[in-house]
C-alpha cells in the first residue's frame, strides 16, 4: 500500500511539474520563441523562455495577471487559470508592423530601439537566407542603406552618410577591428568576415565615439557571429547548418557548414566556409570605357598583352577564400560564464583591377599589381558575470588578440624589378564593460578600453630575371599605436512617452613611429603623437503613441591620426606621391540628426531621418614639400609631393527615408532611399564635393510570403555624378570612370532588376534561387574600379539539423 501511495505521489508531482511549464511559439511558423518575457506586475517578477521557448511557471503560480511579450509580436495577458485551461501552450502573433526591436550597438547592451535616439538598422539571418550575399560587404550592400565601393572583386568598402574607410568603425563580437593602418583610401577588411557565420549585423548611423572611440564618425558596423548553444536538458543538443551555392557571373562555388554540440554547462560551435570565384563577368549593355579586352601574361620570360576572347570578363579578378571559426562556452553557474572564440580568414592573391586599367604610352602601365593573401586571425576570451551588486548588474571582461596581414606586389610592364610590401599588425585589446539598472526607468553603462597595435612593415625588390632579392622600401615606419579610453552612458525613461540618453568619453592616443631613411631622405627619423580627446552625446526619444516616435540626437566624434596618416609613402594617383607628416592632430566631427517613424493602421510604416555633420581639422591629402622640394622622382616618374594634413573643414548633410506597405494576399512593398551631399575645403579656399559622399541610392522591393515560400522582386538603383560633381581628386581617374563627350570622367547612374526566392520544402532542407541584374546592365558603382556582375544566376541548397 505504501508503494502504491508513493507512486501516486510521484505521478501527481510529475503532472504538476509538467503543468508548470509554459511553451511559447510563433503562431504561424510554430517556431519556439527563445527569450520571450513572462512578467507579473503584482509579483514584480520576470522569467524568460529558454532556447526551446519553454518557461518554468512555478514562481508565478500565485500571480494575478501574467503578461507574455516578445519584441515584434503582439503581447498577451492571462490569469494563471486561463493559461492552465489552454494547456500552458501559447502562440504569439507576429506584428505586421513594429517600431521596437532589440539593438546592441548603441549602448553595447541589449536595449529596445524605442529608447535609443540614434538610427540603428538590423540585418538578420532571414535576410541572409533570401539574399545569398557572397561577402560581408555584399551583405551590407543589400540592405539598401549602405553604399559599397569596390576596387576589385575581392573587396568592398562601405560608405555611410558621406564617410568611409577609417572614419567608420568595425566591431566583431564586441572587439574593435579597426587597426592603425586603416587608410583614408578604400579598404577591403570587411571581406575577412564570413556572412554565413553571422547571427546578425547592426549598423549604427552617425557618431559612435562615446562607446567605440576613435574612427566612429560616420557610423558603426557591429557584426555578431554565431554563438554556442547550451542544452536545456540532460540530452546532448546537436544542431547545425550546411549550404552549397553556385553563381554564374563569377562561377562562384561556395560550401559552408556549422555545427553546435551543447551540454548543460559546456557547448562548442564549429563553422567553416570555402568560396572560389573566377574572373567576374560584367554586363553587356553599358559604357564601352568599362571594357578592358586584354590582360598581361608572362610568356617565355616576356610580358605579353593578350586579347581576351570574351571582352566582358574582367581579368584579373579571380580569387578564393576560406573562413574558420571555433567557439567554446562554459556556464560555470547561473551568474558566470566563460567564452573563447577563434577566427581565421585568408584569401588567395588577387589582382587590383583598377590598377590594371592604367595605361602608359598606349600600353598597360603594370604587368603585375596584386594584393597578396589577406589574412585575419582573432583569439578572443570573454567572461560574463550577471548578478546584481551595488555597482553593476552585468559585467563583461573581453580580451582579444588579432593578427592582420596584407601585402602588395607590383611590377611595371616589361620591367624586371618587382616590388613587394608586406604589413603585419598585431592588435591587442582589453574591454571591461558594466551595466547597472538603478530602477525600472533608469540604467547606465560604463567601461574602460585599452588597445595596442604593433605595426611591422617590410619591403623587398626582386629581379625576376635573376631571382635576386634585396631589401626595398617599406610602406610604413615600424610603429606602435595605443588607445586608452573610459566612458559612461546614461539611459533615463522620463515617462512612458519620453526617454533621454547621454554619454561621455575621454580617450588618449599614443603613437610612436621610427623611420628608415635608407630609401627616402626624410628630414626626421622618428615621430610621435600624444593627444587626448573628449566626446559626448545627448539625445531624446518622444513617443506620444505606440505607433509614432520622434528622435533627436546631438553627438561628437573624433578620429586620431594613425600610422597610415602619419607615415605612409605611396602613389595615390598618377604623378603624385604621398609622404609622411609628423605634425598631425585629431579631427573632430559634430553631428545632429532628427528622425521620425510612424505606422498607419498597422499597414503602412514610414521612417525619415535628416542629419548634418561638420568635420573640423579634417585629415586630407594636400600638396606638400620634402626637403624643400615639391616634386621627387618616385617609381621612375616625376611626382608631386603630397601629405596627409589637418588642412580642411568638411560637412555632410543628407536624409534617409523608408516606407513599407503590407498588401493583401501576403504581398508587401518597401523602399529605402538615401541622399547625401558633402563638401570639403581645398588648398585655395574653394570647395569640392567630398569623395566619400556617394550619389543618392536605394532599393525598392515587392515581397511575397506564404508559409515556407518567400519571393522578392526588387530594384537596386543609384544616381550619378557629372564631372564637375566629382570630388576634385577623382576627376583625373579616367581609368575607372566613363568618359563624356568632351573626354572628361564621370560616373553614370544605374539601376538593376532582380529576383530572389527561398523555399523551405522540408523542415530540414531548403532551396534558394535568384537572378540578379536581369537586364544584364554594365554598370560600375560610384568610385569603383571594377564593374558589378552582369546577369547572375544563383542557386543554393541549405540543410539544417
Amino acid at each position: 500500500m505504501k508503494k502504491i501511495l508513493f507512486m501516486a505521489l510521484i505521478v501527481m508531482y510529475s503532472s504538476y511539474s509538467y503543468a508548470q511549464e509554459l511553451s511559447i511559439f510563433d503562431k504561424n511558423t510554430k517556431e519556439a520563441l527563445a527569450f520571450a518575457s513572462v512578467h507579473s506586475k503584482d509579483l514584480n517578477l520576470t522569467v524568460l523562455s529558454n532556447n526551446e521557448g519553454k518557461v518554468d511557471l512555478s514562481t508565478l503560480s500565485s500571480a494575478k495577471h501574467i503578461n507574455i511579450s516578445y519584441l515584434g509580436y503582439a503581447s498577451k495577458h492571462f490569469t494563471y487559470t486561463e493559461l492552465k485551461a489552454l494547456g500552458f501552450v501559447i502562440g504569439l502573433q507576429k506584428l505586421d508592423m513594429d517600431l521596437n526591436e532589440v539593438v546592441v550597438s548603441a549602448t553595447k547592451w541589449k536595449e529596445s530601439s524605442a529608447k535609443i535616439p540614434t538610427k540603428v538598422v538590423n540585418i538578420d539571418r532571414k535576410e541572409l537566407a533570401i539574399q545569398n550575399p557572397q561577402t560581408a560587404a555584399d551583405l551590407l550592400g543589400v540592405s539598401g542603406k549602405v553604399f559599397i565601393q569596390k576596387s576589385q572583386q575581392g573587396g568592398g568598402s562601405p560608405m555611410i552618410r558621406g564617410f568611409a574607410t577609417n572614419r567608420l568603425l568595425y566591431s566583431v563580437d564586441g572587439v574593435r577591428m579597426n587597426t592603425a593602418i586603416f587608410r583614408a583610401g578604400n579598404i577591403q577588411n570587411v571581406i575577412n568576415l564570413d556572412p554565413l557565420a553571422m547571427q546578425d549585423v547592426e549598423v549604427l548611423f552617425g557618431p559612435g565615439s562615446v562607446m567605440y572611440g576613435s574612427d566612429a564618425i560616420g557610423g558603426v558596423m557591429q557584426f555578431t557571429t554565431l554563438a554556442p548553444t547550451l542544452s536545456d536538458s540532460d540530452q546532448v543538443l546537436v544542431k547545425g547548418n550546411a549550404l552549397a551555392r553556385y553563381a554564374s557571373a563569377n562561377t562562384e562555388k561556395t560550401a559552408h557548414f556549422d555545427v553546435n554540440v551543447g551540454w548543460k554547462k559546456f557547448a562548442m560551435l564549429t563553422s567553416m566556409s570555402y568560396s572560389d570565384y573566377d574572373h567576374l563577368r560584367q554586363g553587356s549593355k553599358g559604357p564601352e570605357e568599362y571594357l578592358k579586352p586584354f590582360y598581361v601574361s608572362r610568356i617565355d620570360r616576356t610580358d605579353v598583352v593578350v586579347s581576351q576572347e570574351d571582352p566582358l570578363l574582367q581579368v584579373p579578378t579571380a580569387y578564393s577564400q576560406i573562413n574558420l571559426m571555433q567557439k567554446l562556452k562554459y556556464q560555470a553557474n547561473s551568474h558566470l560564464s566563460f567564452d573563447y572564440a577563434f577566427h581565421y580568414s585568408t584569401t588567395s592573391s588577387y589582382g587590383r583591377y583598377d590598377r590594371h586599367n592604367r595605361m602608359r604610352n598606349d600600353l598597360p602601365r603594370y604587368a603585375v599589381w596584386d594584393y597578396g593573401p589577406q589574412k585575419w586571425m582573432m583569439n578572443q576570451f570573454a567572461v560574463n558575470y550577471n548578478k546584481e551588486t551595488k555597482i553593476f548588474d552585468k559585467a563583461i571582461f573581453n580580451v582579444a588578440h588579432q593578427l592582420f596581414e596584407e601585402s602588395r606586389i607590383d611590377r611595371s610592364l616589361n620591367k624586371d624589378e618587382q616590388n613587394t610590401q608586406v604589413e603585419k599588425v598585431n592588435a591587442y585589446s582589453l574591454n571591461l564593460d558594466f551595466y547597472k539598472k538603478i530602477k525600472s526607468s533608469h540604467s547606465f553603462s560604463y567601461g574602460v578600453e585599452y588597445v595596442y597595435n604593433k605595426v611591422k612593415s617590410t619591403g623587398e625588390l626582386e629581379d625576376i630575371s635573376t631571382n635576386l632579392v634585396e631589401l626595398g622600401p617599406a610602406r610604413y615606419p615600424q610603429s606602435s599605436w595605443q588607445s586608452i579610453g573610459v566612458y559612461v552612458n546614461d539611459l533615463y525613461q522620463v515617462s512612458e512617452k519620453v526617454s533621454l540618453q547621454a554619454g561621455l568619453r575621454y580617450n588618449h592616443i599614443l603613437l610612436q613611429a621610427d623611420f628608415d631613411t635608407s630609401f627616402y631622405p626624410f628630414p626626421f627619423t622618428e615621430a610621435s603623437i600624444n593627444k587626448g580627446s573628449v566626446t559626448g552625446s545627448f539625445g531624446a526619444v518622444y513617443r506620444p503613441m505606440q505607433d509614432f516616435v520622434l528622435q533627436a540626437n546631438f553627438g561628437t566624434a573624433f578620429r586620431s591620426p594613425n600610422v597610415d596618416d602619419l607615415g605612409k609613402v605611396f602613389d595615390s594617383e598618377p604623378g603624385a606621391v604621398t609622404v609622411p607628416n609628423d605634425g598631425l592632430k585629431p579631427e573632430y566631427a559634430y553631428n545632429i540628426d532628427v528622425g521620425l517613424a510612424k505606422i498607419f493602421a498597422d499597414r503602412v510604416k514610414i521612417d525619415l531621418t535628416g542629419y548634418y555633420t561638420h568635420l573640423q581639422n579634417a585629415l586630407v591629402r594636400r600638396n606638400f614639400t620634402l626637403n624643400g622640394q615639391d616634386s621627387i622622382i618616385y617609381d621612375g616618374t616625376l611626382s608631386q609631393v603630397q601629405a596627409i594634413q589637418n588642412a580642411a573643414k568638411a560637412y555632410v548633410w543628407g536624409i534617409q527615408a523608408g516606407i513599407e506597405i503590407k498588401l493583401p494576399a501576403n504581398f508587401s512593398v518597401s523602399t529605402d532611399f538615401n541622399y547625401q551631399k558633402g563638401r570639403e575645403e581645398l588648398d585655395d579656399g574653394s570647395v569640392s564635393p567630398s569623395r566619400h559622399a556617394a550619389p543618392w541610392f536605394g532599393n525598392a522591393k515587392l515581397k511575397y510570403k506564404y508559409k515556407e515560400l518567400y519571393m522578392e522582386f526588387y530594384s537596386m538603383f543609384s544616381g550619378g555624378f557629372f564631372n564637375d560633381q566629382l570630388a576634385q581628386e577623382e576627376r583625373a581617374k579616367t581609368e575607372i570612370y566613363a568618359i563624356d563627350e568632351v573626354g572628361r570622367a564621370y560616373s553614370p547612374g544605374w539601376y538593376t532588376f532582380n529576383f530572389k526566392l527561398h523555399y523551405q520544402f522540408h523542415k530540414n532542407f531548403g532551396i534558394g534561387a535568384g537572378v540578379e541584374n536581369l537586364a544584364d546592365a554594365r554598370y560600375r558603382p560610384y568610385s569603383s574600379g571594377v564593374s558589378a556582375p552582369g546577369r547572375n544566376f544563383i542557386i543554393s541548397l541549405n540543410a539544417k539539423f
Side-chain angles (χ1 to χ4, degrees):
M1 185 64 182
K2 289 182 178 179
K3 289 184 177 181
I4 294 174
L5 288 173
F6 180 74
M7 291 300 296
L9 287 171
I10 292 292
V11 171
M12 289 174 64
Y13 179 77
S14 299
S15 300
Y16 179 76
S17 297
Y18 179 76
Q20 298 294 299
E21 192 172 66
L22 173 68
S23 294
I24 306 171
F25 59 91
D26 184 299
K27 189 175 182 179
N28 296 323
T29 67
K30 310 304 180 185
E31 291 182 359
L33 297 179
F35 304 109
S37 173
V38 181
H39 175 71
S40 169
K41 189 174 182 180
D42 51 288
L43 296 181
N44 192 26
L45 183 63
T46 300
V47 184
L48 299 179
S49 61
N50 62 22
N51 293 317
E52 296 176 353
K54 295 180 179 180
V55 180
D56 181 357
L57 286 182
S58 58
T59 57
L60 295 172
S61 59
S62 62
K64 295 178 181 179
H65 300 283
I66 296 174
N67 179 61
I68 303 172
S69 62
Y70 192 79
L71 280 178
Y73 288 74
S75 299
K76 286 190 173 184
H77 307 270
F78 300 95
T79 64
Y80 188 85
T81 303
E82 288 171 336
L83 286 175
K84 186 176 181 180
L86 293 169
F88 295 101
V89 177
I90 297 298
L92 297 184
Q93 180 67 49
K94 188 172 179 62
L95 295 170
D96 287 330
M97 298 284 180
D98 189 37
L99 296 178
N100 285 339
E101 63 179 343
V102 175
V103 295
V104 176
S105 57
T107 65
K108 292 191 176 181
W109 302 95
K110 289 183 178 180
E111 293 284 0
S112 168
S113 59
K115 300 178 182 179
I116 304 300
T118 50
K119 183 177 178 64
V120 180
V121 300
N122 181 277
I123 308 168
D124 59 19
R125 286 185 66 80
K126 292 181 180 179
E127 186 73 7
L128 177 77
I130 182 67
Q131 292 296 339
N132 260 323
Q134 293 186 350
T135 68
D138 297 333
L139 173 61
L140 291 167
V142 297
S143 71
K145 300 176 179 67
V146 179
F147 193 90
I148 301 297
Q149 180 278 349
K150 291 188 178 185
S151 297
Q152 63 280 326
Q153 183 177 204
S157 187
M159 296 182 182
I160 299 176
R161 286 190 172 185
F163 296 100
T165 61
N166 55 19
R167 289 175 180 154
L168 301 177
L169 196 287
Y170 301 77
S171 176
V172 184
D173 292 337
V175 177
R176 176 190 178 92
M177 195 178 185
N178 293 43
T179 73
I181 63 170
F182 266 37
R183 55 190 180 274
N186 300 304
I187 60 175
Q188 327 302 330
N189 300 73
V190 72
I191 71 166
N192 287 130
L193 306 176
D194 182 4
L196 297 172
M198 292 296 154
Q199 184 62 43
D200 62 56
V201 179
E202 288 183 12
V203 181
L204 182 151
F205 293 89
S209 282
V210 168
M211 305 306 299
Y212 297 93
S214 179
D215 303 0
I217 291 178
V220 175
M221 290 160 283
Q222 169 74 270
F223 297 87
T224 302
T225 60
L226 297 172
T229 304
L230 297 168
S231 175
D232 295 315
S233 67
D234 291 330
Q235 293 184 334
V236 178
L237 173 65
V238 180
K239 63 177 183 177
N241 301 277
L243 175 140
R245 183 175 62 219
Y246 172 83
S248 64
N250 55 2
T251 322
E252 179 209 12
K253 297 172 283 293
T254 288
H256 165 85
F257 79 88
D258 61 78
V259 60
N260 180 97
V261 181
W263 293 266
K264 276 192 169 182
K265 286 184 171 291
F266 180 74
M268 57 184 179
L269 182 142
T270 302
S271 174
M272 178 178 178
S273 298
Y274 175 77
S275 296
D276 182 77
Y277 310 103
D278 205 342
H279 301 301
L280 180 63
R281 179 192 177 277
Q282 58 187 319
S284 60
K285 304 166 187 175
E288 293 294 319
E289 296 85 5
Y290 294 167
L291 298 177
K292 183 179 74 69
F294 62 85
Y295 61 92
V296 178
S297 181
R298 187 76 172 173
I299 302 174
D300 295 331
R301 302 169 65 88
T302 303
D303 291 334
V304 178
V305 180
V306 180
S307 296
Q308 293 178 197
E309 293 183 6
D310 183 356
L312 299 181
L313 283 180
Q314 300 177 92
V315 182
T317 53
Y319 79 104
S320 61
Q321 181 167 342
I322 187 169
N323 285 82
L324 303 173
M325 182 176 76
Q326 179 65 56
K327 289 191 172 185
L328 306 174
K329 182 180 186 67
Y330 175 63
Q331 189 75 40
N333 54 49
S334 60
H335 307 300
L336 180 65
S337 65
F338 301 90
D339 294 90
Y340 168 75
F342 170 78
H343 299 261
Y344 180 75
S345 171
T346 184
T347 69
S348 63
S349 298
Y350 52 91
R352 180 167 172 177
Y353 189 73
D354 61 343
R355 294 299 173 94
H356 284 272
N357 284 332
R358 288 188 176 178
M359 306 293 288
R360 183 164 61 183
N361 300 325
D362 295 326
L363 288 172
R365 166 75 185 273
Y366 296 102
V368 176
W369 213 117
D370 294 341
Y371 284 116
Q374 180 172 293
K375 300 178 182 180
W376 172 64
M377 181 181 72
M378 180 168 78
N379 286 277
Q380 178 191 12
F381 177 71
V383 181
N384 290 265
Y385 186 73
N386 299 319
K387 188 175 183 180
E388 186 175 340
T389 69
K390 291 183 178 180
I391 60 173
F392 66 84
D393 297 336
K394 302 176 185 178
I396 297 179
F397 173 73
N398 201 338
V399 60
H401 167 254
Q402 299 177 82
L403 174 63
F404 299 82
E405 181 178 332
E406 57 187 57
S407 55
R408 295 160 179 79
I409 307 102
D410 67 86
R411 183 174 61 82
S412 296
L413 186 72
N414 296 323
K415 301 293 184 182
D416 290 334
E417 185 177 82
Q418 181 164 286
N419 178 41
T420 299
Q421 294 177 319
V422 180
E423 287 75 52
K424 292 183 180 180
V425 180
N426 279 283
Y428 303 87
S429 61
L430 185 153
N431 293 80
L432 190 55
D433 299 293
F434 300 94
Y435 174 88
K436 178 65 179 176
K437 183 176 283 293
I438 301 173
K439 54 184 179 179
S440 59
S441 61
H442 190 191
S443 65
F444 71 95
S445 56
Y446 59 98
V448 295
E449 178 187 62
Y450 175 72
V451 179
Y452 176 79
N453 283 192
K454 185 68 174 179
V455 179
K456 182 180 180 181
S457 183
T458 59
E460 67 176 34
L461 300 173
E462 178 184 2
D463 188 324
I464 63 170
S465 65
T466 63
N467 295 324
L468 292 177
V469 178
E470 60 183 25
L471 287 177
R475 182 177 173 87
Y476 297 112
Q478 311 312 306
S479 314
S480 65
W481 184 91
Q482 299 178 73
S483 169
I484 307 101
V486 56
Y487 75 90
V488 61
N489 185 73
D490 192 273
L491 190 59
Y492 181 54
Q493 188 84 28
V494 179
S495 66
E496 290 186 0
K497 296 182 179 181
V498 178
S499 62
L500 304 175
Q501 181 183 7
L504 189 68
R505 182 187 185 101
Y506 175 76
N507 216 104
H508 204 88
I509 300 293
L510 300 168
L511 191 160
Q512 179 66 39
D514 297 315
F515 292 88
D516 182 356
T517 57
S518 301
F519 298 95
Y520 302 110
F522 300 133
F524 45 81
T525 57
E526 63 178 33
S528 62
I529 293 177
N530 188 338
K531 300 286 185 182
S533 302
V534 177
T535 53
S537 66
F538 179 78
V541 178
Y542 175 56
R543 193 164 187 163
M545 54 193 75
Q546 284 298 106
D547 58 7
F548 182 45
V549 62
L550 292 168
Q551 301 168 314
N553 189 70
F554 172 78
T556 63
F558 77 100
R559 186 176 79 81
S560 180
N562 63 18
V563 175
D564 184 86
D565 300 308
L566 177 72
K568 176 174 60 179
V569 176
F570 81 118
D571 58 327
S572 54
E573 58 190 47
V577 59
T578 298
V579 300
N581 177 12
D582 63 346
L584 301 178
K585 56 185 178 180
E587 56 184 15
Y588 272 88
Y590 302 85
N591 176 83
I592 185 168
D593 54 271
V594 179
L596 65 86
K598 170 67 176 169
I599 294 175
F600 299 90
D602 200 29
R603 287 292 173 185
V604 179
K605 175 183 175 182
I606 62 169
D607 66 84
L608 179 67
T609 302
Y611 60 89
Y612 176 86
T613 305
H614 181 77
L615 190 66
Q616 287 189 335
N617 295 326
L619 291 162
V620 293
R621 191 169 60 242
R622 293 286 184 262
N623 289 344
F624 199 61
T625 59
L626 181 64
N627 293 328
Q629 296 181 311
D630 61 6
S631 299
I632 62 173
I633 299 296
Y634 179 82
D635 196 22
T637 301
L638 182 65
S639 301
Q640 169 69 53
V641 174
Q642 297 182 329
I644 302 295
Q645 303 171 55
N646 295 105
K649 298 177 181 179
Y651 69 86
V652 180
W653 67 269
I655 59 171
Q656 295 173 284
I659 184 168
E660 184 178 358
I661 304 173
K662 297 293 183 182
L663 302 174
N666 300 309
F667 283 95
S668 65
V669 294
S670 66
T671 187
D672 286 291
F673 180 78
N674 307 269
Y675 179 87
Q676 49 279 314
K677 203 171 193 65
R679 292 290 183 268
E680 66 179 42
E681 186 181 15
L682 298 179
D683 273 348
D684 59 5
S686 62
V687 175
S688 166
S690 296
R691 176 186 177 188
H692 291 132
W696 54 263
F697 70 96
N699 63 27
K701 299 181 177 182
L702 172 64
K703 307 174 187 176
Y704 175 78
K705 189 179 189 311
Y706 179 71
K707 294 184 178 179
E708 301 301 323
L709 174 65
Y710 187 97
M711 295 190 295
E712 191 171 287
F713 177 76
Y714 65 100
S715 174
M716 304 287 290
F717 52 80
S718 171
F721 283 150
F722 295 115
N723 181 265
D724 59 0
Q725 295 175 308
L726 290 173
Q728 191 73 34
E729 59 190 294
E730 293 291 293
R731 297 177 189 178
K733 297 179 180 179
T734 54
E735 73 272 15
I736 67 172
Y737 290 111
I739 305 300
D740 64 20
E741 63 277 2
V742 294
R744 301 178 304 175
Y746 79 103
S747 179
W750 54 267
Y751 61 89
T752 63
F753 294 110
N754 317 270
F755 175 76
K756 298 283 179 66
L757 72 82
H758 186 268
Y759 180 48
Q760 196 72 27
F761 61 86
H762 184 273
K763 66 177 182 178
N764 298 117
F765 298 99
I767 188 170
V771 186
E772 295 176 333
N773 195 358
L774 283 159
D776 203 30
R778 184 188 309 138
Y779 70 100
R780 190 169 286 184
Y782 164 71
S783 192
S784 293
V786 64
S787 298
R791 187 181 295 116
N792 187 26
F793 295 92
I794 304 168
I795 184 73
S796 68
L797 179 67
N798 63 277
K800 59 181 180 179
F801 55 90

